[in-house]
Amino acid sequence: MASSKKSRATKKVAFYTGLICLLTVSLFPFFIMLMTSFKSPKEAVATNPTLLPQHWTFKHYVDMFNPDIFPYLSYFKNSLTVALTAAGLAVIIGIFGAYALSKLKFMGRTTINASFYTVYMFSGILLVVPLFKIISGLGLYDTKTAIIITMIVQTLPTAIFMLKSYFDTIPDDLEEAAMIDGLNRVQIIFYIVIPLSISGIISVFVYSFMVAWNDYLFASIFLSDSANFTLPIGLNALFSTPDYVWGRMMAASLVTALPVVIMYAISEHFIKGNLTEGGVKG
């Protein structure tokens, strides 16, 4: 008995030790970014760097919101518009597409299902040339609409695949009972499928938002006017200006990451909030 307790205690110590090491390795770069954002420009590039700032300064955070130095708020607005619109449309289209693949029977359904697995084998860069021709042909080059379209194309296969997995868990008996009560397919989606799959829908929205928010590849190709720049492109453009300093870059990068962190925290709260309970009783 004593040896069993000792073995469990040893496993706990090993587990927590490994967890602490993993967190340390994962969070250390962000800690360095945070500390650098509070250092003066000279201290940030000193030959003998220090872990903590010797002279703390908040100037980089103040300069970041100065439009004469860096139009951060303009880039933030562009990124937010693109990410929210693309994520919202990907979820809406994904719900109907996933429902069709999950609950409806039609010719070619198996082939379409298999195609979503194939999508994961290809890199997004393979879509650049065809998307560029389509966007240019539609006269949408150098617009936020172009990035929204490309982000929907990027995230929609994954959104449909993820949502289909949730919809497959909804019993067919529940839909049959709803049809007997007089509901059509669209009503079933809004009154039954969506409420029972809310955690999956939130997960898909957050995923699509993160992809669109962090996109650099397509934004760098389809945007040329600085007024339309999103944050990843804007931060990269800051490298080639006289206003580029490490502390300001670190401050802007940390603030840029906040919306994703906040959205993840909010989504986790909803997913754990018992919103999916009570779908089927008895």
Side-chain angles (χ1 to χ4, degrees), residues 84 87 121 124 142-143 164 237 246 271:
L84 287 177
M121 299 172 58
D142 198 20
T143 64
K164 180 183 177 298
W246 274 112
I271 291 172

Side-chain angles (χ1 to χ4, degrees), residues 36-273:
T36 303
S37 69
F38 292 112
K39 292 181 179 180
S40 65
K42 289 184 178 180
E43 189 178 353
V45 295
T47 307
N48 298 317
T50 57
L51 192 61
L52 299 176
Q54 299 195 359
H55 303 285
W56 293 73
T57 177
F58 292 90
K59 187 176 185 299
H60 299 310
Y61 289 93
V62 175
D63 290 345
M64 185 181 66
F65 294 103
N66 185 346
D68 295 330
I69 296 177
F70 181 51
Y72 181 87
L73 293 179
S74 176
Y75 296 157
F76 183 93
K77 180 182 177 182
N78 292 339
S79 286
L80 193 63
T81 300
V82 168
L84 287 177
T85 305
L89 291 175
V91 167
I92 293 172
I93 299 171
I95 287 173
F96 289 96
Y99 179 83
L101 292 173
S102 176
K103 301 299 183 182
L104 303 182
K105 295 181 180 180
F106 54 90
M107 185 179 297
R109 186 179 71 163
T110 303
T111 303
I112 295 174
N113 271 329
S115 68
F116 288 111
Y117 293 97
T118 308
V119 168
Y120 294 103
M121 299 172 58
F122 300 99
S123 171
I125 198 170
L126 297 177
L127 299 174
V128 169
V129 174
L131 280 174
F132 184 84
K133 289 188 175 182
I134 293 172
I135 295 299
S136 300
L138 294 174
L140 297 175
Y141 179 76
D142 198 20
T143 64
K144 291 189 283 290
T145 304
I147 305 302
I148 291 171
I149 292 173
T150 55
M151 289 301 97
I152 293 174
V153 172
Q154 274 285 92
T155 59
L156 190 56
T158 304
I160 292 177
F161 176 77
M162 292 174 64
L163 288 172
K164 180 183 177 298
S165 300
Y166 278 89
F167 295 170
D168 286 343
T169 63
I170 299 176
D172 292 336
D173 294 343
L174 199 61
E175 293 195 28
E176 292 172 3
M179 288 181 181
I180 293 173
D181 290 337
L183 271 65
N184 57 40
R185 289 288 186 181
V186 176
Q187 290 173 319
I188 288 173
I189 291 174
F190 283 101
Y191 294 133
I192 295 177
V193 175
I194 291 178
L196 293 178
S197 307
I198 192 67
S199 61
I201 292 171
I202 293 173
S203 299
V204 169
F205 182 85
V206 173
Y207 162 78
S208 302
F209 181 91
M210 290 175 61
V211 171
W213 182 265
N214 295 317
D215 173 69
Y216 177 83
L217 173 64
F218 292 101
S220 65
I221 294 172
F222 295 132
L223 297 178
S224 59
D225 186 356
S226 60
N228 294 322
F229 279 1
T230 55
L231 279 170
I233 306 302
L235 289 174
N236 181 70
L238 187 60
F239 273 105
S240 58
T241 67
D243 297 312
Y244 158 66
V245 292
W246 274 112
R248 193 174 297 147
M249 285 295 300
M250 296 301 101
S253 298
L254 286 170
V255 176
T256 299
L258 282 180
V260 174
V261 175
I262 293 171
M263 181 163 289
Y264 177 80
I266 294 174
S267 67
E268 187 180 23
H269 169 75
F270 276 103
I271 291 172
K272 291 181 178 180

